[in-house]
């Protein structure tokens, strides 16, 4: 026997002859003496030898650590195989096995067991192999409860049960805390275990070609997942939390019924995305199929961001390469995202050199601080969204001249808005603002301030420092309604607005929609107020200093019904703008008006 194994055949015919001799030798081995020659062998490779059976005395090879009997015609294994206590690797793929011997469960040192491509329908003794690291049962006849007590294999790292007839995976599979690869494609699975997210080390999940209509939410908890293959199922949507799979590199979603895509912009490491053959994501255009994700929608924006800023290189949408068309979206200085049903704007867009960003009429609930890195941005339009707040970093948009955050759910405006030194127009109507930050009075270029439809009851005390303010809209606010009531005594707010109209640029004060003119009907009466009190003698000498309202006051010997403020000298548009040509043009227009 040893001579047969040691002999090196010098031709194909000699190799075939040697295989026949070896098979005959094994088949006729029935005595201890015959296996004494193989007693010291650690590895035995009998692949493709045409073996149909093993003798019971095969278990006498107790030194074996690895045995390969793949590609034979074995229909059963001898019970004596349980005597191979040192066996670590056993490969029996592509045979005709229908049952496994009970003694197989005694191979406690076995780490790799390959039973692929057989006729097994039940494997009860495999669960006793507590040391298993790799187990392949692919290509068998497994169905129903064919994998009992699988959760006992606590060391198992790779499990392959693909190409069977399984309708479900055992719940105990979620106890395999060491599992890294789970391959269950080409079965009849209609659901996955709800606690699949407990497999914290799982890196590769392959459930292609099954009957899945949804994935459990717990899939989004697989923090180590790098590959997710769910092609060839009946999925209409993916779980909302799929964007939390930040380690994902490959995502295969082909041949499903997807209606839309989940947010993918956080998957910065994604390298391959397969969306082919999802009919709901395609539309007929000019007699050819064109992926709908190339139209104006949130998915197109996210895919474009992944292509430009992420690792995505392999994008499969159809037969035509769609990457150039997606990237073209971001090759502009004016990005129009209006009415795209966006729930967020990818923060990576903060790396673009935009002048205008329009995202009105979407479903934005928050604005990332990373989007406040646009150094050249002049127009930011966030009208009609669901924003509940603005990031403090919005003050970094130093070039911003127009900001529209009206029709949102804002409870307050961040104080950093006062750092937008170039801001000319601020629309914040139809929110939930009850007051304004005092820093707003630092916006020396502000020309339009829209605050209608807010629960606003007061204005900043130093509002009259906004010397360029031309339009103030307080329509349908508690403050606006109170200003429409007959004046009772002195009203500081009325007085302040009157003086801003008389000495500054303020020309329009809107208190309600039905207001017939740009100013309230009784606006002239707003200038009435109590005479100023004579200042102390020590102060009269400093009469040229500004008071708290920002005006120079000169006190004489008598006082009439009105104060006698003298409009302080103002800086010209050229002085105010400096080298900022865009701001200079805006201020010159205001002066001309």
């Amino acid at each position: 026997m040893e001579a047969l194994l040691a002999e090196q055949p010098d031709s194909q015919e000699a190799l075939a002859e040697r295989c026949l001799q070896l098979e005959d030798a094994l088949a006729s081995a029935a005595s201890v003496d015959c296996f004494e020659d193989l007693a010291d062998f650690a590895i035995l490779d009998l692949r493709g030898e045409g073996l149909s059976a093993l003798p019971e005395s095969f278990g006498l090879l107790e030194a074996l650590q690895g045995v390969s009997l793949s590609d034979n015609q074995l229909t059963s294994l001898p019970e004596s195989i349980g005597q191979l206590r040192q066996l670590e690797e056993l490969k029996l793929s592509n045979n005709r096995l229908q049952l496994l011997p009970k003694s197989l469960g005694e191979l406690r040192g076995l780490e790799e067991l390959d039973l692929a491509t057989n006729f097994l329908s039940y494997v009860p003794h495999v669960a006793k192999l507590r040391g298993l690291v790799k187990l392949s049962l692919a290509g068998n006849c497994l169905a129903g409860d064919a994998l009992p007590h699988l959760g006992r294999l606590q060391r198992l790292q790779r499990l392959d049960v693909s190409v069977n007839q399984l309708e479900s995976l055992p719940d105990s599979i979620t106890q395999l805390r060491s599992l890294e690869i789970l391959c269950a494609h080409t079965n009849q699975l209609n659901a996955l275990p709800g606690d699949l997210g407990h497999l914290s080390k799982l890196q590769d999940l392959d459930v292609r070609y099954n009957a899945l209509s949804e994935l459990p939410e717990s899939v989004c908890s697989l923090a180590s997942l790098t590959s997710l293959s769910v092609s060839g199922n009946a999925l209409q949507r993916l779980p909302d939390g799929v964007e939390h799979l930040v380690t994902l590199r490959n995502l295969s979603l082909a041949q499903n019924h997807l209606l839309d895509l989940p947010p993918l912009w956080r998957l910065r490491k994604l390298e391959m995305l397969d969306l082919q053959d999802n009919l709901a994501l395609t539309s007929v255009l000019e007699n050819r199929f064109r992926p709908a994700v190339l139209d104006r929608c949130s998915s197109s924006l996210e895919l474009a961001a992944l292509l430009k800023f992420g690792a995505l290189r392999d994008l499969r949408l159809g037969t035509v390469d769609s990457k150039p068309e997606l990237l073209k979206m971001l090759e502009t200085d004016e990005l129009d995202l209006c009415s795209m049903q966006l729930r967020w704007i990818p923060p990576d867009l903060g790396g673009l050199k935009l002048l205008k960003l329009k995202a009105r009429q979407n479903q934005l609930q928050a604005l990332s601080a990373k989007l406040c890195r646009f150094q050249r941005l002049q127009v930011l339009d966030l009208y009609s969204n669901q924003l509940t707040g603005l990031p403090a970093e919005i003050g970094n948009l130093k070039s911003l001249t127009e900001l529209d955050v009206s029709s949102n759910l804002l409870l307050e405006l961040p104080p950093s808005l006062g750092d937008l030194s170039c801001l000319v127009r601020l629309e914040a109507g139809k929110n939930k603002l009850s007051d304004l930050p005092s820093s707003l009075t630092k916006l020396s270029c502000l020309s339009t301030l829209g605050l209608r439809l807010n629960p606003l009851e007061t204005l900043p005390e130093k509002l009259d420092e906004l010397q360029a303010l031309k339009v103030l809209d307080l329509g349908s606010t508690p403050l606006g309604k109170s200003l429409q009531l007959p004046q009772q005594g002195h009203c500081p707010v009325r007085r302040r607005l009157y003086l801003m109209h008389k000495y500054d640029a303020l020309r329009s004060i809107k208190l309600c929609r039905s207001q017939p003119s740009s100013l309230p009907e009784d606006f002239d009466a707003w200038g009435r107020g109590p005479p100023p009190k004579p200042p102390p003698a020590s102060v009269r000498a400093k009469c040229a200093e500004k008071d708290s309202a920002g005006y120079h006051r000169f006190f004489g010997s008598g006082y009439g019904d009105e104060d006698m403020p003298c409009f302080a000298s103002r800086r010209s548009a050229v002085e105010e703008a400096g080298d900022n040509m865009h701001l200079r043009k805006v201020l010159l227009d205001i002066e001309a008006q």
Side-chain angles (χ1 to χ4, degrees):
M1 180 74 73
E2 185 175 5
L4 285 174
L5 294 173
E7 181 182 351
Q8 297 294 330
D10 55 1
S11 66
Q12 191 70 23
E13 293 78 8
L15 177 61
E17 180 65 23
R18 172 187 169 278
C19 290
L20 290 174
Q21 294 174 357
L22 185 58
E23 181 180 355
D24 293 340
L26 284 171
S28 61
S31 67
V32 176
D33 295 337
C34 186
F35 280 96
E36 284 182 349
D37 296 337
L38 301 178
D40 296 331
F41 273 60
I43 304 296
L44 183 60
D45 188 351
L46 296 174
R47 290 175 295 176
E49 295 292 348
L51 301 177
S52 59
L54 293 177
E56 194 67 31
S57 55
F58 187 77
L60 298 176
L61 304 178
E62 297 181 355
L64 285 180
Q65 298 179 11
V67 175
S68 179
L69 295 166
S70 299
D71 304 319
N72 283 288
Q73 301 176 23
L74 299 175
T75 58
S76 63
L77 298 175
E79 284 288 342
S80 62
I81 198 171
Q83 300 174 19
L84 306 179
R85 300 301 173 83
Q86 299 186 44
L87 199 61
E88 298 177 358
E89 181 178 326
L90 178 57
K91 296 185 177 181
L92 294 162
S93 62
N94 197 19
N95 278 281
R96 300 179 180 180
L97 298 174
Q98 297 182 19
L99 294 173
L100 297 177
K102 183 178 180 181
S103 62
L104 186 70
E106 299 176 7
L107 302 178
R108 303 302 169 83
L110 197 63
E111 296 182 355
E112 181 175 351
L113 177 59
D114 187 354
L115 296 168
T117 320
N118 281 281
F119 298 96
L120 299 170
S121 59
Y122 191 55
V123 286
H125 311 303
V126 170
K128 298 179 181 180
L129 304 175
R130 304 295 178 86
L132 272 185
V133 176
K134 297 181 180 179
L135 173 61
S136 177
L137 296 167
N140 280 279
C141 305
L142 301 179
D145 190 17
L147 303 170
H149 312 298
L150 196 63
R152 296 176 180 177
L153 305 179
Q154 291 296 302
R155 295 186 58 197
L156 195 64
Q157 297 178 7
R158 176 167 184 162
L159 174 62
D160 188 350
V161 292
S162 57
V163 196
N164 279 284
Q165 302 170 23
L166 296 171
E167 296 183 359
S168 63
L169 296 176
D171 291 337
S172 61
I173 202 172
T174 61
Q175 301 173 17
L176 303 177
R177 302 305 169 87
S178 300
L179 196 64
E180 298 177 357
I181 299 176
L182 174 56
C183 188
H185 70 79
T186 319
N187 278 280
Q188 301 172 19
L189 300 177
N190 49 48
L192 296 178
D195 294 331
L196 201 65
H198 292 170
L199 303 178
S200 58
K201 295 185 179 180
L202 192 65
Q203 300 176 12
D204 190 339
L205 176 59
D206 186 353
V207 288
R208 294 170 295 155
Y209 307 113
N210 280 284
L212 299 173
S213 59
E214 62 180 2
L215 296 179
E217 294 288 340
S218 62
V219 167
C220 305
S221 302
L222 299 173
S224 302
L225 199 65
T226 60
S227 179
L228 176 59
S229 300
V230 291
S231 297
N233 282 280
L235 300 177
Q236 294 186 351
R237 287 182 175 82
L238 293 183
D240 290 337
V242 71
E243 73 271 15
H244 300 307
L245 300 176
V246 293
T247 59
L248 204 60
R249 297 182 181 275
N250 299 303
L251 179 57
S252 180
L253 303 171
Q255 300 177 25
N256 277 283
H257 304 151
L258 292 177
L259 302 175
D260 53 25
L261 288 179
L264 300 175
W265 57 268
R266 290 185 181 178
L267 306 183
R268 296 293 304 276
K269 295 183 179 181
L270 193 65
E271 298 175 357
M272 190 280 291
L273 176 60
D274 189 354
L275 298 172
Q276 297 182 96
D277 299 325
N278 282 276
L279 296 180
L281 291 180
T282 61
S283 59
V284 179
L285 180 66
E286 298 178 358
N287 297 322
R288 66 184 178 89
F289 280 100
R290 179 180 189 274
V293 292
L294 297 183
D295 298 331
R296 284 176 49 82
C297 63
S298 59
S299 299
S300 61
L301 176 64
E302 292 171 2
L303 292 179
L306 285 174
L307 286 169
K308 187 172 183 66
F309 302 107
L312 187 60
R313 296 297 178 267
D314 186 1
L315 176 60
R316 305 172 188 176
L317 297 176
T319 57
V320 180
D321 185 8
S322 305
K323 291 188 288 186
E325 187 172 353
L326 285 168
L327 288 171
K328 188 177 180 180
M329 291 181 57
L330 305 181
E331 296 174 356
T332 177
D333 56 4
E334 297 185 11
L335 187 57
D336 186 357
L337 307 178
C338 298
S339 304
M340 292 176 61
Q341 299 182 349
L342 297 177
R343 287 185 289 175
W344 37 72
I345 299 178
D348 294 328
L349 297 186
L352 298 176
K353 296 181 179 179
L354 293 179
L355 295 179
K356 296 181 180 181
L357 175 57
K358 298 181 179 180
R360 56 171 43 205
Q361 294 178 329
N362 283 290
Q363 302 171 21
L364 301 177
Q365 298 180 1
L367 194 67
S368 172
K370 293 183 179 179
L371 290 173
C372 299
R373 297 180 298 181
F374 297 111
Q375 297 300 318
R376 301 171 56 202
L377 192 67
Q378 298 175 5
V379 177
L380 179 57
D381 187 352
L382 300 172
Y383 165 81
S384 188
N385 280 280
Q386 300 174 17
L387 297 173
T388 57
L390 296 176
E393 292 79 2
I394 198 170
N396 297 334
L397 302 176
K398 301 299 183 181
S399 300
L400 200 64
T401 59
E402 296 184 28
L403 175 61
D404 190 342
V405 291
S406 54
S407 296
N408 279 280
L409 304 173
L410 299 176
L411 298 173
E412 61 180 1
L413 296 178
S416 58
L417 277 182
D419 298 331
L420 302 178
S421 57
C422 298
L423 195 64
V424 174
R425 176 173 169 263
L426 174 58
E427 295 288 349
K430 203 174 181 181
N431 279 283
K432 298 182 178 181
L433 303 175
S434 57
D435 58 9
L436 301 175
S438 59
S439 60
L440 212 63
T441 60
K442 296 163 55 179
L443 302 176
S444 57
C445 302
L446 193 64
S447 172
T448 300
L449 179 57
L451 300 169
R452 65 184 183 88
L453 293 170
N454 276 291
L456 196 65
E457 298 181 355
T458 183
L459 293 173
E461 290 185 2
K462 297 184 179 181
L463 186 71
D464 46 8
E465 292 185 3
L466 300 177
Q467 298 169 2
L469 188 63
K470 182 179 179 182
V471 176
L472 176 62
D473 188 353
L474 299 173
S476 301
T477 65
L479 177 60
K481 293 177 180 178
S482 66
L483 293 178
Q484 296 179 64
L485 299 175
Q487 183 169 345
Q488 301 291 333
H490 176 59
C491 177
V493 175
R494 286 189 173 95
R495 180 69 171 169
R496 190 177 298 119
L497 295 177
Y498 175 82
L499 294 176
M500 290 175 67
H501 170 72
K502 186 172 183 179
Y503 297 108
D504 289 324
L506 188 59
R507 293 297 174 265
S508 176
I509 304 175
K510 299 179 181 179
L511 302 182
C512 64
R513 291 185 178 182
S514 59
Q515 185 174 304
S517 61
S518 59
L519 294 173
E521 294 181 357
D522 60 341
F523 186 70
D524 291 338
W526 287 22
R528 299 171 186 169
K533 296 180 179 180
S538 59
V539 179
R540 292 192 185 113
K542 301 179 181 180
C543 61
E545 295 181 359
K546 282 187 176 183
D547 68 356
S548 61
Y551 300 101
H552 290 277
R553 296 192 180 277
F554 297 87
F555 297 96
S557 55
Y559 305 94
D561 292 334
E562 291 190 61
D563 293 337
M564 296 179 293
C566 179
F567 184 60
S569 60
R570 307 297 198 220
R571 299 176 65 188
S572 67
V574 175
E575 292 173 329
E576 189 70 40
D579 296 332
N580 191 327
M581 302 305 297
H582 175 74
L583 180 59
R584 180 182 298 186
K585 180 179 180 302
V586 172
L587 294 180
L588 286 173
D589 290 343
I590 294 175
E591 282 189 354
Q593 293 171 0

